[in-house]
Amino acid sequence: MRRHSRFIWVLGLAVGLAVATCEFPTDKSDEVYVTIEYPSLVVLDGDELQVRARAWHLVGTPDTGNGDDEPLGNVDFQWTTSAPAVARVEEDGQGYARILGIGPGTTDITARAVAFEDAGIASLPMRVSGFLEIDSVTPSNIRWGDKITLWGVGLRFAFSVSLPGSGLIPDTLTYTESQGLSSMQFWVPQPARTDRLFVLGPGVFFSPPDTVTVDTVDLYEPNTTTPTLLSLDGPGPYPTIPGLLFFNPALAFEELPRDTLVAYDWYRFNRSDSSRAMTFILAPQGNTDSSGLFIVFSDSIFFDSIGGFHNPGPQPTWFITSEGFWFCPHGGFSPTNVLRADSMIIALRSLPRYVSGNTGFHVLNFYGQRFNYTMVAVDAYLTSDPRIQADRFEENDICTMADDPAKRITVGIGPLGQFVDTLNIDNPRDLDWLRFNVNPIFASDSTTIRIRGRPFGPSFDRSDIDLYVLDASFNFMGSVSDVGSRDSMRLALPPGDYYLAVVDFAGEAARYSLCISVRSSCTPPLFPGDAVPQNSRPAASRGRFTGPDARRPDGRPFSEPAGSPLSPSRSPFRRP
């Protein structure tokens, strides 16, 4: 069955002279021209397309019928094709004609006003194409992580486009189509190799003639000892998604040389407006063995060419690592039993700026084997669970952000002075810093801190939150690491300010209730909507520690105050 193409009239022009109809004088034929209107310059093989010819009375300068020119009625046209083996044209009357695709190729479709013997012939170039065809591939030389553009017909129907070693990743947001011709970009991931593309579509497969030459290094190499500079201040890659500042799902940690155990990818992103929220994501592709991957997110990094180490910038500075090490101008902190994360999601409502003129942040990757990864930056505060939004203490992923006077917590004596609130772990492996002040009167006055998970509805509570307390100088005071989110501890804290680190052990975004009290006990509130039955059995404990001399199970300290000596034999970004 023949199909009629959708009638989307796009104006096409073929200018010719004409002689008079019964309403138009023959001696005014030089004031007549002809146009052909068409929905597309491509008709599929075996399909048909309707076009229309019109005659116009010229008023002034020819303007293709869009200005003051007058249309002429009752004009018959003769239609022809320059390549009958490619396309056939059949008149439908009233100036209309149908073009039938016979075989792949190009042809000129012409329309002549029958009554005007001296008129010129209007010509329309037409292509007859298969369902999916690729005309060209640009550029011809590429690196891993970069994109190529395919040009042709029906590219949205390409099920698979690949090079030897790897399939390409379609960027569907770049798809464009105009007058039957289309284009779309594809990322080239590792380990794609130089060759012709292999294209698979509905009932077709083929290789275009163009060869794509692949340089087998990442797009942003070299970036081991100096960072690749990327700006987040300009427009993002997609006008339709203005909040997406950066997106690349095909970056590569390349194969290491045989004599090398670790390699590095280092980026510096410029972000001038530190008051705007931002979410950054770095994640390995697919079910990849990412062992050996270590990620650092920091406001300042430099490379020491003498020692051969990447180092934090001069104080004051901050950084967060995928191994569970948080560092700020007060010192470093690393909780116990934290599992190494193979990805990082950092959502910040604002970026702390300690040094004037520092308008960026750094991402440093240590890796030990080959795999691909995705990197994303979004101009928004994103959470893993849309039901969870930033609580009133955000931004507090970095300890000094809890120093804001508006965020400090004062805990009084007894039930009336206790602090109670519902807060959130926004993303997996998140940490909330809370700064609180206690002023016990008697030596027997102790401080109680308790939490309770608040899952949504009757779902199982998968959260597992641990609590750590440090003094204002980042000396460790105590911790509780029970299974689940029912942790509770009581500490004898002298008067003063303290930091409470609320740590996500399970890698699960969650709501939780928190209470802090002096002298009396406290109970995190339970709300009617919290339908999950609360487990009253004693929680299994992974560890409880108290006092400045306490150590993690691996023998290392929980925290190190600012100015503590660094080990010369290991990266300063590694856990103490």
Side-chain angles (χ1 to χ4, degrees), residues 523-547:
T523 301
L526 180 65
F527 297 88
D530 299 340
V532 175
Q534 297 298 311
N535 190 343
S536 59
R537 294 178 299 175
S541 178
R542 288 186 298 269
R544 291 174 176 264
F545 304 90
T546 57

Side-chain angles (χ1 to χ4, degrees), residues 142-147 161-170 186-193 214-218 248-252 285 371-373:
I142 202 77
R143 282 182 163 198
W144 289 330
D146 210 341
K147 291 193 288 187
V161 179
S162 62
L163 284 167
S166 178
L168 308 191
I169 303 173
F186 291 76
W187 281 283
V188 179
Q190 178 183 225
R193 294 293 191 269
V214 180
D215 187 2
T216 55
V217 293
D218 182 76
N248 193 320
L251 297 172
Q285 278 285 317
F371 59 90
N372 299 337
Y373 64 101

Side-chain angles (χ1 to χ4, degrees), residues 164-484:
S166 178
L168 308 191
I169 303 173
D171 186 355
T172 55
L173 291 176
T174 64
Y175 179 81
T176 62
E177 184 169 350
S178 177
Q179 300 182 355
L181 299 174
S182 59
S183 68
M184 188 161 64
Q185 297 178 353
F186 291 76
W187 281 283
V188 179
Q190 178 183 225
R193 294 293 191 269
T194 298
D195 207 335
R196 295 163 58 191
L197 295 172
F198 180 75
V199 181
L200 178 64
V204 297
F205 59 90
F206 59 94
S207 290
D210 296 347
T211 294
V212 178
T213 302
V214 180
D215 187 2
T216 55
V217 293
D218 182 76
L219 167 65
Y220 295 118
E221 291 289 353
N223 58 351
T224 294
T225 59
T226 57
T228 295
L229 304 179
L230 299 171
S231 176
L232 301 181
D233 289 334
Y238 306 110
T240 56
I241 312 178
L244 185 60
L245 304 177
F246 181 91
F247 179 72
N248 193 320
L251 297 172
F253 295 132
E254 303 96 335
E255 188 77 40
L256 274 63
R258 295 177 63 182
D259 59 350
T260 302
L261 298 179
V262 63
Y264 311 88
D265 275 2
W266 181 10
Y267 302 92
R268 184 186 186 277
F269 291 87
N270 188 66
R271 177 72 163 168
S272 297
D273 188 352
S274 61
S275 65
R276 295 184 64 87
M278 190 207 69
T279 301
F280 179 85
I281 303 170
L282 191 150
Q285 278 285 317
N287 297 320
T288 303
D289 179 8
S290 60
S291 58
L293 176 61
F294 173 59
I295 310 167
V296 179
F297 186 85
S298 176
D299 78 327
S300 180
I301 296 175
F302 75 96
F303 182 76
D304 180 1
S305 58
I306 298 176
F309 279 127
H310 296 84
N311 289 275
Q315 286 279 31
T317 187
W318 60 265
F319 63 82
I320 302 170
T321 80
S322 59
E323 285 188 348
F325 185 28
W326 285 262
F327 186 89
C328 70
H330 298 319
F333 165 70
S334 184
T336 187
N337 297 322
V338 171
L339 302 177
R340 182 189 61 83
D342 63 356
S343 61
M344 286 192 77
I345 303 176
I346 304 291
L348 301 173
R349 295 187 72 177
S350 61
L351 287 170
R353 292 285 186 254
Y354 299 134
V355 179
S356 177
N358 181 7
T359 59
F361 64 90
H362 294 248
V363 177
L364 175 63
N365 302 291
F366 299 61
Y367 63 95
Q369 59 182 325
R370 185 191 77 183
F371 59 90
N372 299 337
Y373 64 101
T374 298
M375 204 157 58
V376 184
V378 182
D379 184 34
Y381 189 90
L382 302 183
T383 60
S384 299
D385 187 334
R387 297 172 298 180
I388 295 176
Q389 298 300 314
D391 60 48
R392 67 187 181 97
F393 291 100
E394 294 289 351
E395 180 54 47
N396 61 347
D397 287 7
I398 300 159
C399 70
T400 51
M401 290 180 162
D403 296 339
D404 184 344
K407 298 178 182 178
R408 296 191 183 190
I409 299 168
T410 299
V411 182
I413 303 295
L416 297 180
Q418 66 183 7
F419 166 82
V420 178
D421 206 344
T422 294
L423 306 175
N424 299 320
I425 293 293
D426 304 322
N427 288 296
R429 312 298 177 189
D430 193 14
L431 180 150
D432 285 348
W433 289 102
L434 300 172
R435 181 164 179 166
F436 66 96
N437 175 273
V438 295
N439 191 24
I441 298 175
F442 303 110
S444 59
D445 288 340
S446 61
T447 299
T448 299
I449 305 173
R450 298 183 66 188
I451 61 166
R452 171 184 285 147
R454 291 194 58 203
F456 292 91
S459 60
F460 176 73
D461 186 3
R462 296 186 298 269
S463 67
D464 192 344
I465 300 172
D466 299 335
L467 302 176
Y468 298 80
V469 176
L470 313 177
D471 68 14
S473 299
F474 254 50
N475 294 298
F476 179 77
M477 303 301 294
S479 70
V480 55
S481 180
D482 290 346
V483 175

